[in-house]
Amino acid sequence: KHKFWETQPVGQFKDLGDSSLPEGPIEQPTPLSEVKQEPFNLPTPYEWITCNMDSDEMCNEVYALLTNNYVEDDESMFRFNYSKEFLLWALRPPGYYRSWHIGVRVKSSKKLVAFITGVPAKIRVRDTVIVMAEVNFLCVHKKLRSKRLAPVMIKEVTRRVHLENIWQAAYTAGVVLPTPITTCQYWHRSLNPKKLIDVGFSRLGARMTMSRTIKLYKLPEQTVTLGFRKMEPHDIPAVTRLLRNYLKLFVVAPDFDEDDVEHWMLPKENVVDSYLVESPDTHEITDFCSFYTLPSSILGNQNHSTLKAAYSYYNVSTKTPWLQLMNDALIVAKKNGFDVFNALDVMHNETFLKELKFGPGDGKLHYYLYNYRLKNVLRPSELGLVLL
Ligand code: MYA
Ligand code: JJ1
């Protein structure tokens, strides 16, 4: 069934529930001199390129490929539309390798037709912190699908990751592959219900009118938590401590240092936003919430071309109740013009999703590790990792 994935060091379906298999790496690292030194062969019309994302031209080509060919929902009504600024942020974290930004061009025309990326990340699995590659933005042009290009691209990114002496990876996909460490549900909180219904993102509920629906999702104009404010650069040490302490609760989670928090959490306009609660009396940082901006193109609607979506990222509550904290996140997202606030059922998100009027979507997200076996599938609430 999975001619490619059956050959890879990943958990296999036949091994699910085999408690004799140990937890940990599936294969051992080899000496770097034994890692293949030349790129894998592509079909003759194509050639590899390393994408220089610092170049505006390169960035534009990647943006165009993804805008027209990246992930869609099951009915092809929406397609992820990562912005250029977002791609630059996602692809250049601390310690990134340019060699992990891989493109495929048509030799004759130089057209970019496929892409895959990795970025380095320290990820803790139970008690062990492992440097991994987070693999994302795998994309093959619509006209070149089902030609087995994806396996070659995955093998090539694996080779380039190995050349940096890194032997594990984490990735997510909307499709089921061998084998998920957990499967998460997408939840959606309408902020602009009229537009969501107009574009087919959601429907009027039974016995609901448009005006009742608008009233149902109405939010206050202002946040309610005293000391709730945008994160600033001087907050990096306190936010790092808060996040590190919180992420200990999960079986799989990133191991963020201050440089990571600066990169991943510091607000960046139209890319990522972070808010925190500073206690008015002690000036302690007690709570934190963040979300990233990922619009979707609306395919074939007369009146609207983009859906502005916020995606819940990392949130920590130690003092402000979860419902109040995340309701304030919804309020600022609404104020900033988002149409919908999306979240997965990871970490403690289940404690607020239903009560804050999120509804389950029709999409699931499967999480995977490469070359690392877990003895059991995790519950989404045991996962402390959000990939972009
Ligand atoms: S997930 C987002 C993926 N992108 C999209 O969904 C965008 C729209 N779709 C496309 O561009 C294409 O359909 C893609 C497949 C490129 C997805 N992850 O070339 P093919 C397997 C992994 O004929 P195409 C993200 O970015 C499939 O099961 N494998 O197919 C994370 C089959 O193998 P097998 C996938 O449709 C990516 C084979 O590919 C995926 O033309 C993580 C068919 O190849 C998928 N999303 O192209 C990548 N979809 O026969 C893994 C299909 O065995 C990283 N396939 O079933 C692993 C870690 C690597 C680093 C390791 C370091 C140590
Ligand atoms: O956004 C998604 N679904 C939406 C739109 C569905 C349109 C028809 N297929 C959805 N809307 C319902 C919202 C409603 C609001 C009021 C309360 C009740 C709910 O369900 C889905 C997620 O649910 N998104 C996708 O399908 C996109 C792909 C998801 C897989 C992602 C792969 C990630 C790549 C890895 O990097």
Side-chain angles (χ1 to χ4, degrees), residues 2 4-5 137-140 145-146 148-151 158 172 177:
H2 292 285
F4 169 66
W5 280 110
F137 304 113
L138 168 60
C139 183
V140 168
R145 296 278 169 88
S146 307
R148 311 298 297 182
L149 272 177
T158 301
T172 57
L177 304 165

Side-chain angles (χ1 to χ4, degrees), residues 1-10 27 66 69-72 79-80 100 113-118 131-142 144-162 166-178 365-366 368-371 387-388:
K1 252 193 71 260
H2 292 285
K3 271 298 163 228
F4 169 66
W5 280 110
E6 281 170 6
T7 69
Q8 297 301 111
V10 295
E27 45 175 55
L66 295 178
N69 301 278
Y70 200 48
V71 176
E72 300 177 0
R79 189 186 305 124
F80 286 156
W100 295 6
V113 292
F115 191 59
I116 189 168
T117 68
V131 180
M132 297 196 192
E134 291 178 349
V135 177
N136 202 348
F137 304 113
L138 168 60
C139 183
V140 168
H141 193 286
K142 284 178 180 253
L144 301 178
R145 296 278 169 88
S146 307
K147 296 176 181 297
R148 311 298 297 182
L149 272 177
V152 192
M153 300 184 68
I154 293 165
K155 285 189 274 185
E156 181 61 12
V157 76
T158 301
R159 189 184 70 83
R160 294 182 189 202
V161 170
H162 285 166
I166 294 171
W167 303 87
Q168 271 75 34
Y171 51 103
T172 57
V175 294
V176 178
L177 304 165
L365 188 64
H366 309 280
Y368 302 93
L369 295 178
Y370 184 95
N371 193 25
L387 300 181
L388 304 171

Side-chain angles (χ1 to χ4, degrees), residues 40-86:
F40 282 89
N41 289 322
L42 279 169
T44 34
Y46 309 110
E47 64 187 16
W48 295 112
I49 58 164
T50 292
C51 297
N52 176 10
M53 296 301 294
D54 302 340
S55 140
D56 215 34
E57 235 186 346
M58 188 70 250
C59 195
N60 282 327
E61 287 180 57
V62 168
Y63 172 76
L65 175 72
L66 295 178
T67 296
N68 295 312
N69 301 278
Y70 200 48
V71 176
E72 300 177 0
D73 67 296
D74 62 348
E75 294 167 281
S76 294
M77 298 173 68
F78 306 96
R79 189 186 305 124
F80 286 156
N81 185 204
Y82 289 90
S83 68
K84 286 186 267 184
E85 310 73 66
F86 191 111

Side-chain angles (χ1 to χ4, degrees), residues 29 72 129 196 213 276 348 383:
E72 300 177 0
V129 176
L196 295 184
T213 305
L276 49 73
H348 287 114
L383 186 74

